Amino acid sequence: SAVISQKPSRDICQRGTSLTIQCQVDSQVTMMFWYRQQPGQSLTLIATANQGSEATYESGFVIDKFPISRPNLTFSTLTVSNMSPEDSSIYLCSVAGGQGAWETQYFGPGTRLLVL
Amino acid sequence: DAKTTQPPSMDCAEGRAANLPCNHSTISGNEYVYWYRQIHSQGPQYIIHGLKNNETNEMASLIITEDRKSSTLILPHATLRDTAVYYCIVRASGGSNYKLTFGKGTLLTVNP
């Protein structure tokens, strides 16, 4: 498995501002993903972060709202842009394809975002 | 990926076995059954996965029926710390298809 950290762990933001969330893994991984979990709901995949190319977004999510960077095999960022209260959620990073090309996804602890 | 059906909630007494069912009647031959759990306000934790044989690890056992249309996750001696939402997910193996589709899961409450 892998040890995954996210920063910040939580934040309270004003509407109209943007927040960048960082995801760091302790080993190189092939795949990194970003999920959103709205209050009382299950997890929804936002996008797959591709190293060296644009992220692949799921239906309903767009790059202008959730720009993603993946500069190397151990790090990714997700920005939540022009935030509104509806963006209040837990944002989770997950990884797969580490050494040995394991297919199981492992999740970070999440970033709890409250937008006022 | 095939859809899964789980009961919304279950209770279990501390120290007893917790048996969590999952139906996946449309599962394909190359699809694995994965189980994750999410303890309140934490990231999902991987538990176990299997294709067609029963699997066991330090956390749990996974029993898959012969026709693969359903499975049961067994926590042999449930503790209060096992209270969580348990997700059963079916996912194809191979290639770049790592995507996980989460349903609503089963809220397991372990009672003292």
Side-chain angles (χ1 to χ4, degrees), chain A residues 13 15-19 65 80-84 87 113 115:
Chain A
C13 299
R15 68 173 67 209
T17 62
S18 298
L19 177 71
K65 177 66 176 177
V80 186
S81 302
N82 188 25
M83 288 184 285
S84 67
D87 294 319
L113 172 61
V115 184

Side-chain angles (χ1 to χ4, degrees), chain B residues 42-62:
Chain B
Q42 299 182 19
Q45 178 187 22
Y46 164 77
I47 301 173
I48 199 168
H49 74 283
L51 183 62
K52 54 183 178 182
N53 297 321
N54 298 336
E55 302 288 344
T56 295
N57 62 21
E58 64 279 3
M59 289 183 67
S61 295
L62 174 60

Side-chain angles (χ1 to χ4, degrees), chain A residues 37 42 58 103 105 112, chain B residues 36 38 41 91 98-99 103:
Chain A
Q37 187 172 29
S42 189
E58 297 298 306
E103 295 191 5
Q105 272 190 47
R112 287 145 194 81
Chain B
Y36 284 80
Q38 188 174 27
S41 295
R91 202 211 83 194
Y98 291 91
K99 179 179 174 180

